[in-house]
Amino acid sequence: MIEVGKGLLTNEERTMVRDLILLPYIDQMVGKSIEEIEHSGNVLRQTYIIAGRFIQSRIMQDIYALKQDLKRRNIKVVDDEAADQIMYFKILYRGYQERFGLMREVMKTEIRLRLTQYTAEVGQALQDHLK
């Protein structure tokens, strides 16, 4: 087992890096949905906007926590390039550098899964409020 803060990236750290990369995309998608809803005539418009802002708030909390944790572990993520349906990032960590690639299709799947989790949190918050 590799001690945190020493040597190569752990699987947990790779997951953290992936999440830090994906969360801004999720926030952007939710923001666009909120804008569309604001201009709609939907009778539940205000409810959807509140739910969207709740999700954005949770995303910002998660981004902040990830950045703090990665900083503590001496890990930095930098955009690199996009090529052939893969987005590349540089991970600078503990004196090492690694290239990290995410396929766009994998990103879309991960984004859908994560957005589903955030939506479930909205539902749970509503249920807790109604109790």
Side-chain angles (χ1 to χ4, degrees), residues 8-37:
L8 301 177
L9 289 175
T10 65
N11 287 337
E12 176 189 16
E13 290 169 337
R14 287 180 196 285
T15 299
M16 293 167 65
V17 166
R18 181 204 64 202
D19 289 350
L20 183 63
I21 291 168
L22 294 177
L23 287 172
Y25 289 103
I26 299 169
D27 181 55
Q28 186 177 35
M29 289 172 60
V30 172
K32 285 182 182 179
S33 291
I34 289 171
E35 285 180 25
E36 289 173 13
I37 292 166

Side-chain angles (χ1 to χ4, degrees), residues 26-27 29-31 33-35 37-38 44-60 114-126:
I26 299 169
D27 181 55
M29 289 172 60
V30 172
S33 291
I34 289 171
E35 285 180 25
I37 292 166
E38 286 176 334
L44 294 175
R45 178 178 62 225
Q46 201 58 30
T47 304
Y48 293 141
I49 290 169
I50 291 168
R53 288 189 180 140
F54 176 90
I55 291 171
Q56 282 188 308
S57 174
R58 287 288 297 116
I59 291 168
M60 289 301 116
R114 197 63 187 260
L115 195 50
T116 298
Q117 291 173 341
Y118 284 121
T119 304
E121 286 183 30
V122 171
Q124 186 62 52
L126 284 172

Side-chain angles (χ1 to χ4, degrees), residues 91-103:
I91 307 172
L92 310 171
Y93 62 100
R94 302 183 283 270
Y96 297 95
Q97 178 176 315
E98 183 176 312
R99 193 170 193 216
F100 185 82
L102 281 172
M103 293 178 59

Side-chain angles (χ1 to χ4, degrees), residues 34-84:
I34 289 171
E35 285 180 25
E36 289 173 13
I37 292 166
E38 286 176 334
H39 302 304
S40 77
N42 191 309
V43 296
L44 294 175
R45 178 178 62 225
Q46 201 58 30
T47 304
Y48 293 141
I49 290 169
I50 291 168
R53 288 189 180 140
F54 176 90
I55 291 171
Q56 282 188 308
S57 174
R58 287 288 297 116
I59 291 168
M60 289 301 116
Q61 290 171 13
D62 287 348
I63 288 172
Y64 179 79
L66 280 170
K67 283 183 177 181
Q68 293 300 309
D69 203 3
L70 288 170
K71 183 178 180 180
R72 183 179 58 79
R73 295 169 186 246
N74 196 20
I75 299 171
K76 184 177 181 180
V77 181
V78 180
D79 286 348
D80 192 0
E81 66 176 342
D84 299 324

Side-chain angles (χ1 to χ4, degrees), residues 11 90 101 130:
N11 287 337
K90 286 182 186 171
L130 295 174

